[in-house]
Amino acid sequence: MRPLVAQIRLNHLRDNFLALKQMHGGGKMLAVVKANAYGHGAVRCAQALADIADGFAVACISEAVQLREAGIQLPIIMLEGVFAAEEYALADHYELWPVVGNLWQLESLLDYDWQKPVTVWLKMDSGMHRTGFFPHDYAPAYQALIQSSKVADVVKMTHFACADEPMKTMTAEQIRTFELTCANLPGEVSLANSAGIMAYPQTQCGWGRAGLALYGISPMGGADSRFKPVMRLVSKVFGERVLQMGEPIGYGASYVTTRSTRVGLVACGYADGYPRRAATGTPVAIDGVRSCVLGRVSMDMMTVQLDDHRQSLGSEVELWGDVVNVNEVAAAAGTISYELLCNVKRAEMVYE
């Protein structure tokens, strides 16, 4: 069996959730488990958090139904709402809470004959300009919902574009826009994503939305000792050789040895979700000792430098996890950790 394994530490997941909830002042907290819980396994993660979370957030109705059919009873919010009016029937049947972010979603929701009044999350476009009602349209949309007998409650929400870059002023501007628009609109709110919870105390109210940080990765980049990495992606060295100075390695001969070099062959490549753009020097840990990638990452394999004399056939290679932070790999590949985590595939998922 191929030795690529994604170790998912559910105790770390729980610890991270509780840490974020404390940062949020103990207020209500959603665990965001969209995109298969950022590659960690949505059902298993939701089950591990079911006794401490206040609810879950997914992207779409298929993800929500998966959780309901796995026995999850807590509130489930669909962050993208519905993609067709017919999906409101499923939302009704499974008692889901849709986000409404545009006029057709609003009108379709009010046209549907709900079996019981539905809780709606009404999204404002406070500046990110993806989805949501513009501020001047927000109060009318809120009033249309709150006045309908089909609606049980309205939670006011927005999403930050730059909360992970606290030096920028945009988040403060979005907060002001939201607060001014909602000043006379009663009800619960949801402002803070992971970065908001960590960097903007004024957003620590209502429903927090724990996303990337829930999985132990700081959205600010780098490492953060307050969080424990949930996923540890590991493989093994299954081949080794010694190359003399001046020998090329891998496709394109993009790396040429500068000295006599021991090279290990590792069972992991871009078909497994490891980034092809990870260049020579991208960190790995071999038997707990930091080393690096050599040459181009292939579809199913990659080559690494074996420095320690104890590193050889069968040595464990941590692609990211406890020694190597996934943010380091993402930075080396010119991407973000979200993408790496969500792209993991063909690895055996082992829950601990």
Side-chain angles (χ1 to χ4, degrees):
M1 181 179 292
R2 202 154 172 267
L4 183 64
V5 175
Q7 300 170 349
I8 309 298
R9 285 79 63 88
L10 296 174
N11 58 324
H12 286 192
L13 183 76
R14 289 174 60 86
D15 289 346
N16 294 335
F17 182 88
L18 293 172
L20 286 161
K21 190 174 176 70
Q22 185 176 23
M23 290 179 203
H24 192 58
K28 293 180 181 178
M29 182 73 70
L30 295 177
V32 182
V33 293
K34 64 180 180 176
N36 198 29
Y38 294 48
H40 293 69
V43 169
R44 291 296 298 270
C45 288
Q47 289 171 337
L49 295 170
D51 63 326
I52 56 176
D54 298 293
F56 296 97
V58 297
C60 57
I61 200 156
S62 60
E63 294 179 342
V65 170
Q66 180 190 34
L67 295 186
R68 280 285 186 256
E69 293 188 343
I72 300 300
Q73 298 300 315
L74 290 172
I76 300 175
I77 291 83
M78 299 183 296
L79 293 173
E80 296 178 13
V82 300
F83 298 105
E86 294 77 15
E87 292 182 355
Y88 281 128
L90 278 175
D92 190 15
H93 175 74
Y94 286 101
E95 298 186 1
L96 307 174
W97 293 1
V99 166
V100 168
N102 56 53
L103 186 59
W104 81 260
Q105 288 178 334
L106 173 64
E107 292 177 342
S108 299
L109 183 143
L110 294 176
D111 285 343
Y112 178 73
D113 186 19
W114 293 85
Q115 298 178 51
K116 58 186 298 186
V118 60
T119 294
V120 179
W121 284 47
L122 183 63
K123 190 168 189 177
M124 181 191 300
D125 179 2
S126 59
M128 190 170 182
H129 297 337
R130 278 192 323 189
T131 184
F133 288 87
F134 290 120
H136 61 272
D137 294 324
Y138 194 78
Y142 173 90
Q143 294 299 335
L145 289 169
I146 210 73
Q147 291 171 11
S148 173
S149 61
K150 298 177 179 181
V151 175
D153 197 9
V154 177
V155 178
K156 305 178 296 295
M157 71 173 299
T158 195
H159 191 57
F160 298 137
C162 301
D164 56 348
E165 301 176 84
M167 296 301 293
K168 293 185 176 180
T169 62
M170 185 172 181
T171 302
E173 293 166 4
Q174 287 189 259
I175 293 169
R176 281 196 298 272
T177 297
F178 184 86
E179 289 178 341
L180 285 171
T181 304
C182 295
N184 297 313
L185 306 179
E188 293 186 294
V189 301
S190 179
L191 286 164
N193 54 6
S194 289
I197 293 167
M198 295 166 63
Y200 295 90
Q202 63 269 48
T203 71
Q204 294 169 5
C205 56
W207 291 83
R209 307 190 301 271
L212 185 66
L214 176 62
Y215 304 97
I217 309 302
S218 172
M220 312 297 188
D224 190 319
S225 61
R226 294 175 293 180
F227 306 120
K228 302 174 183 178
V230 176
M231 179 189 291
R232 184 169 181 264
L233 186 65
V234 295
S235 188
K236 289 185 179 180
V237 174
F238 72 97
E240 66 171 307
R241 63 185 59 204
V242 177
L243 298 178
Q244 299 307 310
M245 184 178 68
E247 295 292 341
I249 298 176
Y251 284 117
S254 62
Y255 175 75
V256 178
T257 58
T258 58
R259 58 180 173 83
S260 177
T261 305
R262 289 179 64 231
V263 178
L265 188 61
V266 180
C268 182
Y270 59 78
D272 303 297
Y274 195 87
R276 183 178 181 274
R277 291 168 291 175
T280 292
T282 300
V284 298
I286 305 172
D287 289 339
V289 178
R290 289 175 70 94
S291 185
C292 67
V293 173
L294 296 178
R296 287 185 184 169
V297 174
S298 302
M299 181 180 288
D300 309 292
M301 296 177 284
M302 58 195 297
T303 45
V304 298
Q305 185 165 303
L306 301 177
D307 282 329
D308 193 304
H309 70 278
R310 293 167 294 184
Q311 298 168 350
S312 60
L313 286 174
S315 285
E316 181 191 74
V317 180
E318 180 187 279
L319 289 315
W320 60 69
D322 296 332
V323 179
V324 176
N325 189 287
V326 68
N327 279 330
E328 295 181 81
V329 181
T335 185
I336 57 176
S337 53
Y338 298 81
E339 182 179 18
L340 300 191
L341 295 172
C342 290
N343 282 346
V344 171
K345 46 189 176 291
R346 301 203 308 176
E348 179 187 2
M349 303 289 283
V350 176
Y351 291 90
E352 303 173 356

